[in-house]
Structure formats: structure tokens, C-alpha cells
Amino acid sequence: PAESPVPPPPHDGDWDAGDMGCGDLVLELRTRLRMLEPGQVLRVRATDPGAPADIPAWCGLTRNPLQFQDHPHYWIARRPD
């Protein structure tokens, strides 16, 4: 695959969600983001075919900024509380 022209942001944690589907994915994502400090970034690897739509939608609903995405990787910041 071609390299993204913009480098991904630094991150504070990693989570490989594999092919976990939307419902389980967002529940676990919520838990894992809560383990970080506000403003810290979690890099998520999610191979489920719905992830490119589900993760940005969830980030919009929860106000946890999606800083960068390059499927199957997503960089999500924990929102300030």
C-alpha cells in the first residue's frame, strides 16, 4: 500500500481490536479511552469492514476527536472532561 502523505500523530496507547464489530468495539473503545488522561491519544487497529464508518461516527457522537485515520488504523484523542 502507498504511504500516507501526512504522518500519523504520536500516540500514548495502542489497542488491536481485530475484527470486533461495532457494538463491542465502541464499548471497549470507551473503556480504553477512559484509562488515558484527557488529551492523550489511543491508536486503534480495527479491521471490521464497518470500522471506516463506525469509528468516525462514534467519535462525532462522543466528542472524542478522531485525529487521523488510515484504515485499519485510527488515532483517537480522549476529549477534555
Side-chain angles (χ1 to χ4, degrees), residues 50-61 66 69 74:
D54 295 339
I55 291 177
W58 181 84
C59 288
L61 289 172
L66 177 61
Q69 74 180 63
Y74 303 84

Side-chain angles (χ1 to χ4, degrees), residues 7-63:
H11 55 279
D12 303 288
D14 269 305
W15 175 45
D16 187 348
D19 63 354
M20 190 179 288
C22 179
D24 293 331
L25 175 76
V26 297
L27 288 174
E28 184 66 23
L29 182 53
R30 179 177 175 236
T31 299
R32 289 178 180 267
L33 275 176
R34 284 187 172 176
M35 292 189 284
L36 299 176
E37 295 294 323
Q40 287 189 315
V41 175
L42 179 66
R43 181 177 67 177
V44 178
R45 180 181 174 275
T47 59
D48 181 77
D54 295 339
I55 291 177
W58 181 84
C59 288
L61 289 172
T62 62
R63 299 185 337 265

